[in-house]
Amino acid sequence: MDENVARPPAAPPPPAFPAPWPIEPPPLPPKQRRTNAVIIGSAAAVIAAIVTTGIVFGATKGSTGDDGKPSTTAAASSVTDDDPVVPFDDPDPEPTYPQVDADSFSIDLRTTQSQCFGSAGCNVTVEPELTYLGSSSDLDPDAVYEITYEIHGDESGPVIQTAELSDQTSLSYRPSLISTATASTELSVEITDVQGE
């Protein structure tokens, strides 16, 4: 045979277009059923439920004595020594403060200015000096106490003023201008009312 002679192809070439029918994927292997595991798990759950019910029923039934009265032995508790005990905290009660009235304070006058006109009298500016007769911590820190006082000695009659005590120790007031008939007139003051808000 001559080596230069062309040989015919052994098989026809594959077509250049896709196959007319899609190729089906190979079938999946059959699924293994787990019925044995499901049956065993269900049986274990049923047995656990029966045992638990029997224990609860037995503990309840065993809590009465032969005479039908409850026995003094306690059933087993689910609380162990390892469980933390959380104490129940009662909310702090609202603090109470004593009633404050005119007798709870003493008052004096402090002269800050004085101008006299011979026999015509004097103009005197005074401010109240209040003292609480108890402990300031006994006063409600959120309350504002209105303390009304009356100054005697003005030639026109009594002068009524009001001071405010807040934050237990903060006193606010307005100085009073008093006109006396003579330079020897003595001024006096008294508390007439105390109101707390």
Side-chain angles (χ1 to χ4, degrees), residues 12-93:
F17 53 87
W21 300 103
I23 298 174
E24 291 185 21
L28 296 174
K31 291 183 181 178
Q32 295 180 355
R33 296 186 181 188
R34 297 185 179 177
T35 55
N36 290 344
V38 171
I39 291 172
I40 292 172
S42 298
V46 168
I47 291 170
I50 291 170
V51 169
T52 304
T53 305
I55 290 172
V56 171
F57 179 73
T60 305
K61 179 115 177 144
S63 65
T64 58
D66 294 336
D67 55 358
K69 294 180 182 176
S71 66
T72 57
T73 58
S77 174
S78 64
V79 178
T80 65
D81 290 338
D82 296 336
D83 291 341
V85 177
V86 179
F88 179 73
D89 290 334
D90 288 331
D92 291 336

Side-chain angles (χ1 to χ4, degrees), residues 71-164:
S71 66
T72 57
T73 58
S77 174
S78 64
V79 178
T80 65
D81 290 338
D82 296 336
D83 291 341
V85 177
V86 179
F88 179 73
D89 290 334
D90 288 331
D92 291 336
E94 290 293 321
T96 57
Y97 299 98
Q99 184 68 30
V100 177
D101 57 15
D103 294 331
S104 302
F105 296 91
S106 67
I107 189 169
D108 290 315
L109 292 176
R110 180 170 69 93
T111 302
T112 57
Q113 286 183 340
S114 177
Q115 184 177 12
C116 292
F117 307 101
S119 61
C122 299
N123 288 335
V124 181
T125 303
V126 293
E127 295 177 354
E129 287 186 338
L130 277 169
T131 303
Y132 179 62
L133 300 177
S135 171
S136 62
S137 62
D138 291 342
L139 296 172
D140 185 352
D142 298 325
V144 175
Y145 298 98
E146 293 182 352
I147 304 163
T148 303
Y149 56 97
E150 194 172 289
I151 302 171
H152 300 276
D154 188 88
E155 63 184 349
S156 305
V159 175
I160 298 173
Q161 292 282 23
T162 300
E164 288 187 351

